[in-house]
Amino acid sequence: MGLVLFPGDGDNNSPDVSWSYRCFATFRRRLARAEGFTLSEMSGFGGDRPWSEVSTVLKPLLDHPDDGGDDLTPADCAVILPRLEAIADEWAQESNDPLLQQDIDDARQLAGVLWLCVEKRVPLLFL
């Protein structure tokens, strides 16, 4: 079982990005660390820390149910995209760790999907 993030453009040929639930959790934990906090400390992820204490443009992606929940708007995608690309570039300079490389590839694939959502002005859907 897993989840897929894809543009809500109705085109089955549009790019998407998919993870197992475990790999998506790992990816989001790494993104949170890049933003300076620990995801497991956050409300909704086993901790008590409210999201209002964290300042990150990635909040709509990080504080989202694994599947279902509200779609991310094209405006959300536009705000997330540059930061996600910057994080992927930072990670690429860190090491040659194969697990990190998978997260870099996933971040870049997600960035492509976000770009399409912005370009077509459609939401990002979680399934």
PDB file of all heavy atoms in Angstrom, residues 22 30 42 52 63 66 76 86 92 104 117:
ATOM      1  N   ARG A  22       5.639   4.229   4.625  1.00  0.00           N
ATOM      2  CA  ARG A  22       6.870   4.300   5.405  1.00  0.00           C
ATOM      3  C   ARG A  22       7.868   5.255   4.761  1.00  0.00           C
ATOM      4  O   ARG A  22       8.463   6.104   5.436  1.00  0.00           O
ATOM      5  CB  ARG A  22       7.487   2.907   5.552  1.00  0.00           C
ATOM      6  CG  ARG A  22       8.750   2.894   6.415  1.00  0.00           C
ATOM      7  CD  ARG A  22       9.375   1.507   6.507  1.00  0.00           C
ATOM      8  NE  ARG A  22       9.716   0.920   5.223  1.00  0.00           N
ATOM      9  CZ  ARG A  22      10.811   1.248   4.505  1.00  0.00           C
ATOM     10  NH1 ARG A  22      11.651   2.128   4.956  1.00  0.00           N
ATOM     11  NH2 ARG A  22      11.045   0.661   3.356  1.00  0.00           N
ATOM     12  N   ARG A  30      12.702  13.926   7.043  1.00  0.00           N
ATOM     13  CA  ARG A  30      13.937  14.563   6.553  1.00  0.00           C
ATOM     14  C   ARG A  30      13.674  16.013   6.157  1.00  0.00           C
ATOM     15  O   ARG A  30      14.492  16.893   6.405  1.00  0.00           O
ATOM     16  CB  ARG A  30      14.518  13.769   5.396  1.00  0.00           C
ATOM     17  CG  ARG A  30      15.940  14.224   5.040  1.00  0.00           C
ATOM     18  CD  ARG A  30      16.535  13.468   3.872  1.00  0.00           C
ATOM     19  NE  ARG A  30      16.640  12.055   4.055  1.00  0.00           N
ATOM     20  CZ  ARG A  30      17.742  11.415   4.463  1.00  0.00           C
ATOM     21  NH1 ARG A  30      18.827  12.090   4.748  1.00  0.00           N
ATOM     22  NH2 ARG A  30      17.758  10.106   4.561  1.00  0.00           N
ATOM     23  N   MET A  42       5.751  17.096  16.681  1.00  0.00           N
ATOM     24  CA  MET A  42       4.634  17.930  16.262  1.00  0.00           C
ATOM     25  C   MET A  42       3.286  17.275  16.548  1.00  0.00           C
ATOM     26  O   MET A  42       3.144  16.048  16.483  1.00  0.00           O
ATOM     27  CB  MET A  42       4.734  18.246  14.764  1.00  0.00           C
ATOM     28  CG  MET A  42       6.030  18.936  14.357  1.00  0.00           C
ATOM     29  SD  MET A  42       6.407  20.423  15.295  1.00  0.00           S
ATOM     30  CE  MET A  42       5.006  21.450  14.891  1.00  0.00           C
ATOM     31  N   SER A  52       1.749  26.096  15.130  1.00  0.00           N
ATOM     32  CA  SER A  52       1.890  27.555  15.186  1.00  0.00           C
ATOM     33  C   SER A  52       3.279  27.975  15.681  1.00  0.00           C
ATOM     34  O   SER A  52       3.682  29.116  15.478  1.00  0.00           O
ATOM     35  CB  SER A  52       0.810  28.163  16.085  1.00  0.00           C
ATOM     36  OG  SER A  52       0.907  27.639  17.401  1.00  0.00           O
ATOM     37  N   ASP A  63       2.160  19.086   7.398  1.00  0.00           N
ATOM     38  CA  ASP A  63       1.026  18.945   8.308  1.00  0.00           C
ATOM     39  C   ASP A  63      -0.211  18.548   7.504  1.00  0.00           C
ATOM     40  O   ASP A  63      -1.195  19.269   7.430  1.00  0.00           O
ATOM     41  CB  ASP A  63       0.782  20.255   9.063  1.00  0.00           C
ATOM     42  CG  ASP A  63      -0.333  20.134  10.089  1.00  0.00           C
ATOM     43  OD1 ASP A  63      -0.625  19.008  10.529  1.00  0.00           O
ATOM     44  OD2 ASP A  63      -0.918  21.179  10.446  1.00  0.00           O
ATOM     45  N   ASP A  66      -1.573  11.518   5.473  1.00  0.00           N
ATOM     46  CA  ASP A  66      -0.851  10.778   4.441  1.00  0.00           C
ATOM     47  C   ASP A  66      -1.644  10.673   3.147  1.00  0.00           C
ATOM     48  O   ASP A  66      -1.085  10.764   2.056  1.00  0.00           O
ATOM     49  CB  ASP A  66      -0.502   9.375   4.926  1.00  0.00           C
ATOM     50  CG  ASP A  66       0.625   9.387   5.934  1.00  0.00           C
ATOM     51  OD1 ASP A  66       1.277  10.431   6.086  1.00  0.00           O
ATOM     52  OD2 ASP A  66       0.849   8.344   6.568  1.00  0.00           O
ATOM     53  N   ASP A  76      -0.530  27.118  -2.637  1.00  0.00           N
ATOM     54  CA  ASP A  76       0.309  26.328  -1.725  1.00  0.00           C
ATOM     55  C   ASP A  76       1.498  25.746  -2.485  1.00  0.00           C
ATOM     56  O   ASP A  76       2.639  25.804  -2.018  1.00  0.00           O
ATOM     57  CB  ASP A  76      -0.468  25.153  -1.108  1.00  0.00           C
ATOM     58  CG  ASP A  76      -1.553  25.547  -0.134  1.00  0.00           C
ATOM     59  OD1 ASP A  76      -1.436  26.615   0.501  1.00  0.00           O
ATOM     60  OD2 ASP A  76      -2.519  24.761  -0.001  1.00  0.00           O
ATOM     61  N   ALA A  86      15.284  24.030  -3.235  1.00  0.00           N
ATOM     62  CA  ALA A  86      16.487  24.440  -2.500  1.00  0.00           C
ATOM     63  C   ALA A  86      16.961  23.334  -1.555  1.00  0.00           C
ATOM     64  O   ALA A  86      18.169  23.065  -1.453  1.00  0.00           O
ATOM     65  CB  ALA A  86      16.219  25.728  -1.724  1.00  0.00           C
ATOM     66  N   ALA A  92      21.801  17.326  -2.113  1.00  0.00           N
ATOM     67  CA  ALA A  92      22.681  16.796  -3.161  1.00  0.00           C
ATOM     68  C   ALA A  92      24.149  17.124  -2.872  1.00  0.00           C
ATOM     69  O   ALA A  92      25.039  16.392  -3.305  1.00  0.00           O
ATOM     70  CB  ALA A  92      22.267  17.342  -4.513  1.00  0.00           C
ATOM     71  N   ILE A 104      16.358  12.815  -2.486  1.00  0.00           N
ATOM     72  CA  ILE A 104      16.650  13.873  -3.464  1.00  0.00           C
ATOM     73  C   ILE A 104      15.834  13.639  -4.730  1.00  0.00           C
ATOM     74  O   ILE A 104      15.195  14.564  -5.249  1.00  0.00           O
ATOM     75  CB  ILE A 104      18.157  13.919  -3.786  1.00  0.00           C
ATOM     76  CG1 ILE A 104      18.961  14.347  -2.566  1.00  0.00           C
ATOM     77  CG2 ILE A 104      18.432  14.847  -4.970  1.00  0.00           C
ATOM     78  CD1 ILE A 104      20.457  14.096  -2.684  1.00  0.00           C
ATOM     79  N   CYS A 117       1.254  21.773 -11.242  1.00  0.00           N
ATOM     80  CA  CYS A 117       0.065  22.289 -10.546  1.00  0.00           C
ATOM     81  C   CYS A 117       0.007  23.809 -10.636  1.00  0.00           C
ATOM     82  O   CYS A 117      -1.057  24.391 -10.874  1.00  0.00           O
ATOM     83  CB  CYS A 117       0.058  21.850  -9.087  1.00  0.00           C
ATOM     84  SG  CYS A 117      -0.262  20.083  -8.847  1.00  0.00           S
TER      85      CYS A 117
END
